Amino acid sequence: AQGVFGAQVSRFPPEIYPTTPIPLFGRAVIAPIQGLVMALALALMLVLRVLIERAPLGRAIRAIAWNERTARLLGINVDWVIAQTFFLSGALAGAAGVLLGLAFNRLEPTMGNEVELAGLTVIIVGGMGSIGGAAAAAFLVGMMRVLSVAYLDSSFRDAFVFALLILVLLVRPSGIFGRRSNGRA
């Protein structure tokens, strides 16, 4: 991306969305773009959850995750499902990049570097394969980062997140909402 678009920071035009804060619950305020980003992110998570739990593609993804060989024997086109899964994950990553760019009004080729390790922490803390767990862990990690900057030193922001990661890996390696594996190696 840096080779194609250059290393400069791009911004959205200021008139593209309103900037007047919206009051919430009397004391708090939220920018309209923050509300839009939150609503779109929640909608994407809901659509993904419905797709995984109820759609034929979701059933095929779950079957392959359970046992690829058995899925092949049941007639599932494993290669096609894997390709669709990669396409879906790429589309969701692109949507996340757009939402991140909208939230901070900043587009650059390396804009995801600041959140990639926090994202990995969210996946592990929430539990692999748990969409709701990832959402809950994202709120937990986000609140930890914000509160550590608000009440302590901003240089320790990531230290608290990684301390949570280590704690979860020591106490519950499958994540807070993950399912424990019954299989033995």
Side-chain angles (χ1 to χ4, degrees):
Q2 192 168 351
V4 173
F5 301 110
Q8 72 277 4
V9 174
S10 299
R11 300 194 184 279
F12 291 101
E15 64 275 357
I16 199 166
Y17 47 81
T19 57
T20 306
I22 301 168
L24 291 176
F25 311 116
R27 295 178 51 114
V29 294
I30 186 170
I33 193 64
Q34 291 172 327
L36 176 68
V37 167
M38 176 80 78
L40 287 175
L42 289 173
L44 285 172
M45 281 189 281
L46 180 66
V47 166
L48 178 64
R49 185 168 184 156
V50 168
L51 179 116
I52 294 295
E53 290 180 359
R54 302 188 188 222
L57 177 62
R59 285 193 295 273
I61 290 170
R62 290 193 324 255
I64 293 169
W66 183 258
N67 189 324
E68 181 180 336
R69 185 168 183 228
T70 303
R72 283 186 193 277
L73 290 172
L74 290 172
I76 295 173
N77 186 348
V78 172
D79 296 328
W80 181 84
V81 172
I82 289 173
Q84 295 304 309
T85 305
F86 272 98
F87 173 78
L88 183 62
S89 65
L92 288 172
V98 169
L99 293 176
L100 184 68
L102 280 171
F104 293 106
N105 196 12
R106 181 181 178 96
L107 298 172
E108 61 180 312
T110 60
M111 69 186 203
N113 292 349
E114 298 174 10
V115 294
E116 64 188 355
L117 289 176
L120 177 65
T121 303
V122 164
I123 292 168
I124 294 171
V125 169
M128 288 291 289
S130 173
I131 297 169
F139 280 110
L140 177 64
V141 168
M143 290 302 295
M144 285 181 69
R145 289 173 61 110
V146 168
L147 292 175
S148 66
V149 169
Y151 293 110
L152 301 168
D153 187 5
S154 65
S155 60
F156 292 117
R157 166 179 74 187
D158 291 329
F160 289 109
V161 172
F162 293 128
L164 172 68
L165 173 64
I166 292 169
L167 179 69
V168 168
L169 286 173
L170 289 173
V171 174
R172 188 168 166 92
S174 60
I176 295 173
F177 295 97
R179 294 185 194 105
R180 292 179 190 238
S181 174
N182 292 335
R184 296 176 73 180

